[in-house]
Amino acid sequence: MKDIARRAGVSESAVSFALNDRPGVSDITRDRVRRVAEQLGWRPSTAARALSGEGAATVGLVVARPAGTLGVDSFFLQLISGIQEVLAERQLGLLFQVVEDVTAECAVYRRWWAEHRVDGVLVVDPRTDDPRPELLAELGLPGVVTGGVPDPGRPQRPGLSTVWADDAGAMASVVGHLHALGHRRVVHIAGLPGLAHTERRVRTLRAEAERRGLTEVRSVTTDYSDAEGAAVTRRVLGAEAPPTALVYDNDVMAVAGVAAAASLGFAVPADVSVVAWEDSALCRMVHPWLTALSRDTVSFGRTAARELLGLLDDGPAGTVQVPLPRLIERESTAAARTP
Amino acid sequence: MKDIARRAGVSESAVSFALNDRPGVSDITRDRVRRVAEQLGWRPSTAARALSGEGAATVGLVVARPAGTLGVDSFFLQLISGIQEVLAERQLGLLFQVVEDVTAECAVYRRWWAEHRVDGVLVVDPRTDDPRPELLAELGLPGVVTGGVPDPGRPQRPGLSTVWADDAGAMASVVGHLHALGHRRVVHIAGLPGLAHTERRVRTLRAEAERRGLTEVRSVTTDYSDAEGAAVTRRVLGAEAPPTALVYDNDVMAVAGVAAAASLGFAVPADVSVVAWEDSALCRMVHPWLTALSRDTVSFGRTAARELLGLLDDGPAGTVQVPLPRLIERESTAAARTP
DNA sequence: GCAGAAAGCTAAAGCGCTTTAGGCTGAGCC
DNA sequence: GGCTCAGCCTAAAGCGCTTTAGCTTTCTGC
């Protein structure tokens, strides 16, 4: 900047004003400064900017999942793609970290904030009894919780937005679909038990079942892995009165489940119907093609990022809902076999 | 730091010396300062550190893949997991960005370096005629190219290390396996044409085929997607004298290929053998289980990160090779049907 | 014609840290 | 005793930017 100032024949402050579109310099000077800056290939040093109170121009994302569980579904990379798209518009960086558990995640937030590394964070995989919103509030670190369930009991925290999908509505549509096909015995192979949306799906399933008078409907939680998906499938299909429909909380388990079912002699959908929560290429790679709940994860990421940007601009914290996932009916669901 | 200095009754410089393990303070003072710092929950501001010439304590990773192609395989998240593990030891951050193409990637490197945002970068997906090593050298930005092929013709660039896997050796082992099973007509469904390892696999395949006198062996490039994998599979199996073995450059295409083959009435492995390059849960989710080349991607990431750390410590640039992928023989390869 | 406002600019401080030059003290040596 | 020298410490500059206060010049309105 000193160079620019010298070459343009003005003071450093004038350069700063000119390049940041702040009043205090004439248009002529502004143009001149801009040209010189361009010519010199100048770029502001984020460090210096951050130091003089401008923020770090970076948002953080930390993912807490046990090591093995990460790579299996395409959810995160899709989400990140969406986030990036929005951040790129403002040349904001994304600081990314993978940790083992929520405790470590909290430590990372603390550190990042203390080190002035980020201006805000995106919180994923909200949990029941989640310590993170509390922590962010305490620190004063702006954040967007994505995928959570807004709690009408709790007042909106300032600086903490929520982006959520209506898992309850989606589950209702799945149950509706299966019920209409005549299924009465349904098992829901859910994801990690601590996650808020797992909880919500489980609760909704139970409520919907009761509403319809279905007594043989239940959920089993897993770690989202293909291994557990297959294991649980074998277990429930091996029982006395096996379910006629299975709802899996992700695509990977659904695919593994279909294979497991086949190995026990259960044909899909003739003997058992299968629904995958989360659509992906996988669902069209197996036979039969899987009926799946499809949502636009990339745009989910975009929405979350946009919400965070709003917060960083001192906008109000809010709660935004993304579109209800659509149930794509393919070949893996059919009328229940009449006993 | 000012607070610490005051409370410990020393100057700010003494605090700096004490906390950075630099000589110039007595052990007693050092301890006292440390205790005060701890008590105050002090953390150095990365911005200030960076500004006074210490580097940004951050490394960059940019992935250039067309939007859709990203989420399909688990490669990147695994790689990132490994990278993180090593970076975490030193509390280095990972700045992550997804872009459309290599041109955009280069722009990001330029910007990051100009803005002093990163101390070094990890370059993935090396290409034939790759502009990136040149750019890094020009900028003086330390980097590690992962997955490349070391070019003995070119001298080692200072500040640019290479971590590579022996794709040629792996391809040789695949061809050996198939040849031993009596396969004479093989099609290799490769990945993106511009990538260095694609090129290398294609060339090695041809060389190995020639060496063994196989004339009906060839490669077809794709975009790694399940869709193209299936399409190519249908095309080659529909030809006059269809191949008896297919080698896929990733797991996703292999799985899609098996499904496509089945839909044409080809049984695996009775009519056609299948090998997947890259093992994953997917390969054990389909029937038959896929014979696959397995490598430890997480440790690949670790190695790359470690190499970059070495570079940041002013260590010498080097070329390190990771272990040869192992061929895991499962159910999808068998003796070629004798015509 | 003159007070006062507005515009355009500069000087200087400050962000939180590192680092260099230098000051003071006491020990060791002739 | 006076010398040096090491050890411990401080003062101050500097990293690259923003921002506030203040200064000069020109414009405006009566």
Side-chain angles (χ1 to χ4, degrees):
Chain A
M1 259 181 69
K2 217 182 292 176
D3 284 357
I4 302 179
R6 189 149 14 85
R7 296 219 197 182
V10 292
S11 70
E12 265 186 74
S13 347
V15 174
S16 177
F17 293 146
L19 295 173
N20 291 302
D21 277 327
R22 251 174 255 293
V25 289
S26 64
D27 287 353
I28 307 181
T29 314
R30 196 183 298 278
D31 278 359
R32 184 151 38 93
V33 169
R34 282 234 186 89
R35 263 200 308 280
V36 176
E38 178 123 358
Q39 191 184 320
L40 260 51
W42 176 86
R43 297 254 71 206
S45 147
T46 6
R49 273 243 164 104
L51 197 52
S52 29
E54 282 296 89
T58 305
V59 311
L61 172 64
V62 8
V63 173
R65 289 238 180 150
T69 332
L70 232 197
V72 294
D73 48 24
S74 56
F75 179 78
F76 279 115
L77 276 176
Q78 304 249 109
L79 188 76
I80 290 176
S81 291
I83 293 170
Q84 295 272 358
E85 226 172 89
V86 173
L87 296 185
E89 292 167 12
R90 299 241 212 143
Q91 311 224 330
L92 293 181
L94 180 70
L95 202 57
F96 184 54
Q97 182 135 14
V98 181
V99 297
E100 272 293 303
D101 53 35
V102 183
T103 313
E105 182 174 343
C106 287
V108 171
Y109 291 143
R110 282 212 144 83
R111 191 159 60 76
W112 278 354
W113 191 233
E115 293 177 351
H116 298 282
R117 264 173 173 285
V118 297
D119 301 328
V121 294
L122 292 155
V123 177
V124 295
D125 281 346
R127 301 170 185 249
T128 51
D129 283 329
D130 200 323
R132 293 171 296 173
E134 198 113 9
L135 174 66
L136 298 192
E138 174 199 329
L139 295 175
L141 173 56
V144 173
V145 178
T146 73
V149 179
D151 180 349
R154 193 190 318 270
Q156 180 76 49
R157 292 181 197 268
L160 233 198
S161 289
T162 303
V163 175
W164 68 294
D166 182 10
D167 283 66
M171 181 54 103
S173 77
V174 170
V175 175
H177 174 63
L178 293 175
H179 187 246
L181 287 171
H183 293 277
R184 297 297 175 263
R185 290 195 305 278
V186 178
V187 173
H188 168 214
I189 288 102
L192 286 166
L195 301 183
H197 61 257
T198 300
E199 190 81 359
R200 191 161 175 84
R201 292 176 194 176
V202 169
R203 269 214 311 275
T204 310
L205 175 68
R206 201 174 317 141
E208 284 293 316
E210 271 173 28
R211 204 164 65 77
R212 294 183 153 89
L214 307 177
T215 54
E216 301 189 59
V217 167
R218 63 203 175 96
S219 298
V220 184
T221 58
T222 67
D223 67 355
Y224 278 124
S225 72
D226 60 305
E228 283 206 14
V232 170
T233 304
R234 266 191 294 271
R235 208 174 65 225
V236 301
L237 288 183
E240 188 80 12
T244 62
L246 298 170
V247 179
Y248 292 86
D249 256 8
N250 72 4
D251 47 356
V252 174
M253 289 197 297
V255 172
V258 168
S263 75
L264 290 180
F266 282 78
V268 177
D271 300 320
V272 61
S273 285
V274 165
V275 178
W277 196 301
E278 197 71 62
D279 193 14
S280 78
L282 257 187
C283 297
R284 273 157 296 127
M285 257 186 257
V286 291
H287 265 292
W289 284 9
L290 301 186
T291 293
L293 272 174
S294 165
R295 54 178 172 176
D296 187 348
T297 308
V298 175
S299 121
F300 196 37
R302 274 194 289 257
T303 305
R306 205 148 270 144
E307 210 53 27
L308 184 54
L309 289 193
L311 242 39
L312 297 185
D313 291 342
D314 292 317
T319 298
V320 351
Q321 182 179 355
V322 300
L324 196 67
R326 279 182 318 116
L327 185 68
I328 314 261
E329 298 180 27
R330 296 210 183 88
E331 307 162 351
S332 67
T333 45
R337 151 161 302 174
T338 42
Chain B
M1 259 181 67
K2 217 181 293 177
D3 284 357
I4 302 180
R6 188 148 17 83
R7 295 217 198 183
V10 292
S11 71
E12 262 187 77
S13 346
V15 174
S16 177
F17 292 145
L19 296 172
N20 291 301
D21 276 327
R22 254 174 251 293
V25 288
S26 64
D27 287 352
I28 306 180
T29 313
R30 194 183 299 278
D31 278 0
R32 184 154 35 95
V33 169
R34 283 234 186 88
R35 263 200 308 281
V36 177
E38 177 119 3
Q39 192 185 319
L40 260 52
W42 176 87
R43 297 254 71 207
S45 147
T46 9
R49 273 242 164 101
L51 197 52
S52 30
E54 282 295 89
T58 305
V59 311
L61 172 62
V62 10
V63 173
R65 289 236 181 151
T69 331
L70 234 198
V72 294
D73 49 24
S74 56
F75 179 79
F76 279 115
L77 276 175
Q78 305 248 109
L79 189 76
I80 290 176
S81 291
I83 292 170
Q84 295 272 358
E85 229 173 85
V86 173
L87 295 186
E89 293 167 12
R90 299 241 212 143
Q91 311 224 330
L92 293 180
L94 180 70
L95 202 57
F96 184 54
Q97 182 134 17
V98 181
V99 297
E100 273 294 302
D101 54 34
V102 183
T103 313
E105 183 175 343
C106 287
V108 172
Y109 291 144
R110 281 214 144 83
R111 190 159 61 77
W112 278 355
W113 191 233
E115 292 177 352
H116 299 280
R117 263 174 174 283
V118 296
D119 301 328
V121 294
L122 291 154
V123 177
V124 294
D125 283 345
R127 303 174 182 243
T128 52
D129 284 329
D130 200 323
R132 292 170 296 172
E134 199 113 8
L135 175 66
L136 298 192
E138 174 199 328
L139 295 175
L141 173 56
V144 173
V145 178
T146 74
V149 180
D151 180 348
R154 193 190 317 271
Q156 179 75 50
R157 291 181 198 267
L160 233 199
S161 290
T162 303
V163 175
W164 68 293
D166 182 10
D167 283 65
M171 181 53 101
S173 77
V174 171
V175 175
H177 175 63
L178 293 175
H179 186 243
L181 287 171
H183 293 277
R184 297 297 176 263
R185 292 194 306 277
V186 178
V187 172
H188 168 215
I189 288 99
L192 287 167
L195 302 182
H197 63 256
T198 300
E199 190 81 359
R200 192 163 175 83
R201 292 176 193 177
V202 169
R203 270 214 311 276
T204 310
L205 175 68
R206 202 176 315 139
E208 284 292 318
E210 271 175 28
R211 204 163 68 76
R212 295 182 152 90
L214 307 177
T215 54
E216 300 189 60
V217 167
R218 64 203 176 92
S219 298
V220 185
T221 57
T222 68
D223 66 355
Y224 279 124
S225 73
D226 61 304
E228 284 206 16
V232 170
T233 304
R234 266 191 293 273
R235 209 174 63 226
V236 301
L237 289 183
E240 189 79 11
T244 62
L246 298 170
V247 179
Y248 292 87
D249 256 10
N250 72 6
D251 47 355
V252 174
M253 290 197 297
V255 171
V258 169
S263 75
L264 290 180
F266 283 77
V268 177
D271 301 320
V272 60
S273 286
V274 165
V275 177
W277 196 301
E278 198 72 63
D279 194 14
S280 78
L282 256 188
C283 297
R284 274 158 295 126
M285 255 187 255
V286 291
H287 265 292
W289 284 9
L290 300 187
T291 293
L293 272 174
S294 164
R295 55 179 171 175
D296 186 348
T297 308
V298 175
S299 123
F300 196 37
R302 274 194 289 257
T303 306
R306 206 148 268 144
E307 211 52 27
L308 185 53
L309 288 193
L311 241 41
L312 297 185
D313 291 342
D314 291 317
T319 298
V320 349
Q321 183 179 353
V322 300
L324 195 67
R326 280 181 318 114
L327 185 69
I328 313 261
E329 298 180 26
R330 296 209 183 89
E331 307 163 351
S332 68
T333 45
R337 149 162 304 175
T338 42

